Amino acid sequence: QVQLVESGGRLVQAGASLRLSCTVSGVTFMNLGMGWFRQAPEKEREFVAHIHYNGVNTYYSDSVKGRFTISRDNAKNTTYLQMNSLEPGDTGVYYCAALNKRYSYGYLLQRYYPYWGQGTQVTVSS
């Protein structure tokens, strides 16, 4: 059984930093590309960041580029999202998701990710 477990979300003030973690079990982590998505209240879930299975290629949405960094530790089966200079617009539920490396081309699209975590709440106050 594949499981993705996120942690690290909480209430912070604007300008603060947070690091989210997502630990994967039940599947070979090294074969997975890892993504982060978020859903703000009354909005659709949107792409935030992705790191390829090779750990080299990373991609970000324009709204977080330069502030967020995605990384992975294959020894720990964990991917991270370092979020700096947080803004109220970053508020939402953050989801970790995994896709098979053969579908890396689809990293922007949720339908290519068969595995999802339960989400962790990030709230940024002004």
Side-chain angles (χ1 to χ4, degrees):
Q1 182 181 357
V2 179
Q3 285 192 315
L4 281 68
V5 180
E6 302 105 329
S7 62
R10 61 184 178 93
L11 171 64
V12 296
Q13 290 194 333
S17 296
L18 274 180
R19 189 178 79 159
L20 305 183
S21 300
C22 171
T23 300
V24 179
S25 61
V27 65
T28 304
F29 186 69
M30 291 176 61
N31 289 337
L32 302 175
M34 300 299 300
W36 287 94
F37 292 77
R38 68 186 182 188
Q39 187 167 20
E42 300 183 356
K43 291 188 176 181
E44 293 188 353
R45 190 160 57 186
E46 63 176 2
F47 171 80
V48 174
H50 179 88
I51 184 166
H52 273 347
Y53 69 96
N54 61 15
V56 174
N57 304 92
T58 57
Y59 306 90
Y60 300 92
S61 67
D62 288 343
S63 61
V64 308
K65 199 174 297 182
R67 299 188 297 122
F68 290 12
T69 303
I70 189 171
S71 61
R72 62 189 294 156
D73 184 340
N74 288 344
K76 296 183 178 179
N77 287 2
T78 299
T79 189
Y80 305 98
L81 186 67
Q82 178 66 42
M83 306 186 294
N84 298 330
S85 302
L86 282 162
E87 304 167 352
D90 296 318
T91 293
V93 179
Y94 282 70
Y95 296 91
C96 170
L99 56 69
N100 190 285
K101 64 181 181 181
R102 74 182 70 177
Y103 299 117
S104 293
Y105 57 85
Y107 69 89
L108 280 172
L109 302 175
Q110 297 179 47
R111 68 175 184 265
Y112 283 96
Y113 294 82
Y115 310 119
W116 291 80
Q118 80 288 350
T120 185
Q121 176 70 46
V122 173
T123 303
V124 184
S125 64
S126 57

